Amino acid sequence: MTGRTAALAEVTVTYSGEAPMATVASRVASAARTWRSTYRLSDYANVLFLVPATFFFVGWQIYPIIRVFVLSFTDYKYLERNPPNFVGLQNYINALNDPLFHVGMLRAFAFTVAFVPLTILIPLVLAVLIDRVTTPWLSSFYRIILLIPAVIPGPLVFVLWKWLFDFQIGPVNTILVEWLGLFNRQTAPQWLGGTPLSLPAVVIMEVWWGLGYHTMFFLAGLAAIPKDLSEQARIDGANEWQLLWRVTVPRLLPILSILVVLRFGTAMSVIDEYLIFGGFQRTSPTYSWTVYMYDLAFRIGDWLQGYAAAIGWLGAAVMMVFVVGMLYVFRSRD
Amino acid sequence: MAVTIQRHHRRRFPTGLIAKHVVINLGVAIILLPLIWVLLMSVKSLPESYTTNFWPRQFDFSHYGFVLTRIQTLPQNMFNSIFVTLATVAITTFCAILGGYALVHVRLPGRMLLIWLLIASLFFPTRLLSLISIYEIQRQLGLLNTVVGLIFPYVTLNLAVSILIMRGIFEQLPHELVEASRIDGCGPWRTLFLVLLPLLLNGIVVVSMVNFVGVWGEYLLAVTLTNDQATRTLPVVLASAHSGMGQWAYPRIAAVYVIAVTPGIIIFALFQRLYFKGLTEGAIKL
């Protein structure tokens, strides 16, 4: 989870469905090739351009990740003075037999399975509808509203929803009790504090957060579909549902699949919202493998960072298996 | 044929149209209501804030003054957030311009490998895994519990995506321009800073926005790497202020919240046109 604006950009940089763009890019690229072959500066001097980025990447991403990998084979405890011992695969074996790790992975999967379809289907429907709004001012009004949640940084969204779900003053319960009359003040749902409802609460919040930018994203994809295509289908007697599933969705499929993979990755490694919503209660459905890793690394005992590192790498490995699998499946369908 | 289509349309027209607008406006309401709620909360009187009224009976604007003057560390926290955000956005944008340029306009060994590594890193939970050892690194560098120290890991948060965006922008620039500049005797550095820089505005706006949103609200690293109230940033303060009592009474936190969220919305409103232009230009094909 980085900012949602970043997420929007991520999808855009990993996939652009517009063919003309690709042609322009390839033309520029071939021009670049001819130009480069006549260029005389030493190739290696150009590495200087990458020095600033490399400094930060190496210091605060590549080195820490390698270090965490090395730690995962030791019994390293951060607060302990004795030097760590090499323990081979013991941490990984322990993790595979650790019920908290199992349940943590299952919780992450439960969240992902609930969140990813909703955060893609709801914006898809909304985008299809907004795409048909023909009044220009109304259509740009909708687009501006949709973007507001995307410029609110994630943790600030989580803080806001923590208040919205508050048992006493939260408007979610006010709506359920006073407006809809589904509960009374005593029987109103407890959304927070590690109850079973904590997970749906996080899902609802995440879907809200993604509603705007995913819709905007699909709108951009829809704009690339030629209008006469759907006109033709209508004349041929297709109803709106058939149009959606037979014409629109297949055209959006490349964007959809990249979005599914990226969202899967963010959903499985969610941590900030779990910390803000559920804290470190082990029984809470928000105590996922990510929270367990954090708990081990910075809170439990002497900060069991060796074990935490193994949990982290194991979780990441499981994620990567799914990500690579999904990329493979989506790719072969093209 | 034409007649049947027309009849078909006339029959469906009202229900379809109404249903469409109901669904769209429901979506709009769902997006706006939470934000309107927190805005209204920030102008409710203290006693009324504990009731479930949506619309305040009486508007009380004193909370904004209160949080800015009476909560002692808050101005410091705001300064921390502004400082860290501006520094990170500036550094990341600089790194991304140089990186994007290197990946497009100069001959570079291992260029494609670098691009694939950058794309692959978007799918890997780097932020989560690196956290364990970033704590240790920051302690060794004496950067633990400092505001300046946060800048280093913050730069890496969105650096890969920033470089990829800038690469897309550079690919859109006419190559004749670069060549003309070379014939006029400019080296690659002068070409970048004297000729190309003014043309990168859209890309700079996108990269700055992406990093602004990512850093302005960053929580995980900030809460892990700082522990004094004076070194904390706004999101950490907001996330830990949940008692609903005293200086953190709901309307007061709500006022802090509105102060924290508004800059992003204003900046975005100002730059949204450039932002979308930049975003489409920065697109590449996988």
Side-chain angles (χ1 to χ4, degrees):
Chain A
M1 194 274 345
T2 52
R4 278 320 200 219
T5 330
L8 182 63
E10 270 170 24
V11 185
T12 324
V13 295
T14 38
Y15 180 82
S16 150
E18 288 162 50
M21 189 89 76
T23 0
V24 172
S26 74
R27 217 179 298 143
V28 171
S30 70
R33 246 170 271 129
T34 13
W35 175 73
R36 275 195 205 107
S37 57
T38 59
Y39 199 69
R40 287 188 186 178
L41 203 92
S42 161
D43 296 349
Y44 288 92
N46 289 331
V47 172
L48 279 177
F49 286 103
L50 290 171
V51 167
T54 312
F55 168 75
F56 288 100
F57 272 136
V58 170
W60 285 270
Q61 257 183 12
I62 299 170
Y63 170 72
I65 285 214
I66 294 172
R67 167 97 182 138
V68 168
F69 187 65
V70 173
L71 285 183
S72 71
F73 299 101
T74 68
D75 62 355
Y76 185 65
K77 297 184 180 103
Y78 185 84
L79 298 177
E80 199 181 76
R81 290 197 169 266
N82 304 330
N85 305 306
F86 178 77
V87 294
L89 289 171
Q90 195 55 49
N91 284 330
Y92 288 94
I93 295 164
N94 291 348
L96 288 173
N97 293 311
D98 186 340
L100 263 179
F101 178 65
H102 298 166
V103 85
M105 281 315 281
L106 286 177
R107 284 166 178 164
F109 271 109
F111 170 75
T112 307
V113 166
F115 162 70
V116 174
L118 288 178
T119 205
I120 288 181
L121 288 179
I122 297 175
L124 181 63
V125 171
L126 204 57
V128 168
L129 292 176
I130 292 179
D131 190 48
R132 294 174 189 192
V133 173
T134 43
T135 329
W137 72 266
L138 206 55
S139 129
S140 46
F141 167 77
Y142 288 144
R143 280 159 212 255
I144 288 169
I145 300 292
L146 286 173
L147 270 160
I148 293 176
V151 291
I152 302 179
L156 295 180
V157 172
F158 315 148
V159 169
L160 172 62
W161 278 85
K162 199 176 167 180
W163 300 333
L164 296 179
F165 281 122
D166 189 277
F167 185 69
Q168 283 178 326
I169 63 139
V172 172
N173 275 3
T174 305
I175 289 170
L176 293 177
V177 172
E178 291 179 13
W179 296 14
L180 301 177
L182 294 176
F183 304 92
N184 63 45
R185 272 287 153 197
Q186 280 71 46
T187 58
Q190 286 270 13
W191 295 97
L192 303 171
T195 64
L197 285 175
S198 304
L199 198 71
V202 179
V203 172
I204 292 170
M205 173 194 76
E206 290 276 336
V207 171
W208 180 84
W209 189 25
L211 190 57
Y213 72 87
H214 282 160
T215 309
M216 284 303 291
F217 198 77
F218 288 134
L219 278 171
L222 288 171
I225 299 176
K227 285 279 171 250
D228 43 341
L229 206 68
S230 44
E231 277 310 312
Q232 186 57 47
R234 270 202 200 95
I235 290 167
D236 292 347
N239 66 34
E240 297 298 309
W241 271 110
Q242 287 169 329
L243 204 65
L244 178 65
W245 292 110
R246 304 261 167 86
V247 179
T248 312
V249 171
R251 288 254 160 175
L252 288 178
L253 214 54
I255 290 183
L256 270 171
S257 51
I258 286 290
L259 205 57
V260 168
V261 179
L262 281 171
R263 280 304 134 260
F264 173 86
T266 46
M268 284 297 290
S269 58
V270 155
I271 178 165
D272 303 63
E273 36 277 67
Y274 292 160
L275 293 181
I276 291 173
F277 268 55
F280 294 99
Q281 260 177 286
R282 290 194 172 183
T283 52
S284 165
T286 56
Y287 195 89
S288 124
W289 67 279
T290 57
V291 182
Y292 185 37
M293 186 202 92
Y294 189 95
D295 208 1
L296 285 167
F298 299 111
R299 290 168 49 93
I300 294 175
D302 285 334
W303 296 18
L304 314 171
Q305 295 196 342
Y307 189 42
I311 299 265
W313 267 100
L314 213 51
V318 173
M319 277 175 62
M320 285 307 108
V321 168
F322 278 88
V323 165
V324 170
M326 277 192 279
L327 286 176
Y328 179 78
V329 168
F330 292 143
R331 172 135 303 198
S332 63
R333 208 178 276 170
D334 283 350
Chain B
M1 184 66 184
V3 176
T4 51
I5 290 168
Q6 255 190 351
R7 192 184 297 146
H8 183 69
H9 268 268
R10 205 179 296 143
R11 190 158 40 84
R12 298 180 45 106
F13 194 63
T15 45
L17 192 75
I18 291 168
K20 180 175 82 181
H21 281 277
V22 165
V23 174
I24 294 174
N25 283 301
L26 193 68
V28 168
I30 288 170
I31 286 175
L32 286 182
L33 275 175
L35 297 167
I36 294 172
W37 178 81
V38 74
L39 189 66
L40 289 174
M41 178 55 106
S42 75
V43 293
K44 279 178 188 164
S45 65
L46 285 182
E48 202 183 358
S49 69
Y50 296 97
T51 66
T52 54
N53 296 346
F54 182 74
W55 194 262
R57 289 214 181 80
Q58 204 181 348
F59 287 88
D60 179 353
F61 294 95
S62 67
H63 306 300
Y64 287 89
F66 181 94
V67 297
L68 289 173
T69 54
R70 302 278 295 281
I71 301 179
Q72 284 188 346
T73 50
L74 197 68
Q76 178 70 44
N77 301 134
M78 283 180 185
F79 173 80
N80 293 346
S81 277
I82 294 169
F83 172 73
V84 165
T85 307
L86 288 182
T88 308
V89 167
I91 295 172
T92 315
T93 309
F94 177 74
C95 294
I97 291 174
L98 291 188
Y101 182 65
L103 293 179
V104 178
H105 287 280
V106 298
R107 208 179 149 117
L108 194 75
R111 200 171 56 92
M112 275 324 281
L113 179 73
L114 286 176
I115 292 168
W116 277 103
L117 278 177
L118 289 174
I119 292 176
S121 79
L122 299 180
F123 293 90
F124 191 80
T126 321
R127 192 182 70 113
L128 187 69
L129 279 193
S130 58
L131 182 69
I132 299 174
S133 284
I134 284 178
Y135 187 90
E136 193 181 59
I137 292 167
Q138 298 293 86
R139 196 206 48 186
Q140 282 163 356
L141 296 173
L143 294 173
L144 213 54
N145 206 17
T146 64
V147 180
V148 175
L150 287 177
I151 296 169
F152 297 90
Y154 276 10
V155 167
T156 61
L157 282 180
N158 290 309
L159 187 53
V161 83
S162 302
I163 293 176
L164 289 170
I165 293 169
M166 284 314 297
R167 171 180 173 257
I169 300 286
F170 275 110
E171 280 184 337
Q172 301 295 306
L173 294 182
H175 246 278
E176 295 78 14
L177 205 68
V178 184
E179 187 159 8
S181 143
R182 184 182 64 86
I183 291 166
D184 288 347
C186 282
W189 291 87
R190 287 178 65 195
T191 305
L192 173 61
F193 287 107
L194 299 179
V195 181
L196 301 181
L197 201 59
L199 301 170
L200 299 174
L201 189 63
N202 296 339
I204 292 173
V205 168
V206 177
V207 169
S208 304
M209 270 311 288
V210 165
N211 283 286
F212 171 83
V213 176
V215 173
W216 181 250
E218 206 286 332
Y219 174 76
L220 186 65
L221 284 160
V223 80
T224 312
L225 301 176
T226 64
N227 54 35
D228 290 341
Q229 193 66 16
T231 51
R232 294 204 144 155
T233 53
L234 278 181
V236 183
V237 170
L238 276 166
S240 57
H242 48 59
S243 69
M245 307 293 264
Q247 65 176 7
W248 294 122
Y250 285 113
R252 290 171 183 158
I253 321 180
V256 177
Y257 190 85
V258 172
I259 294 170
V261 164
T262 313
I265 297 179
I266 290 175
I267 293 172
F268 192 79
L270 289 177
F271 289 110
Q272 55 128 334
R273 218 161 273 237
L274 279 177
Y275 177 79
F276 281 111
K277 208 155 166 262
L279 203 60
T280 16
E281 283 174 6
I284 56 159
K285 191 136 173 69
L286 186 70

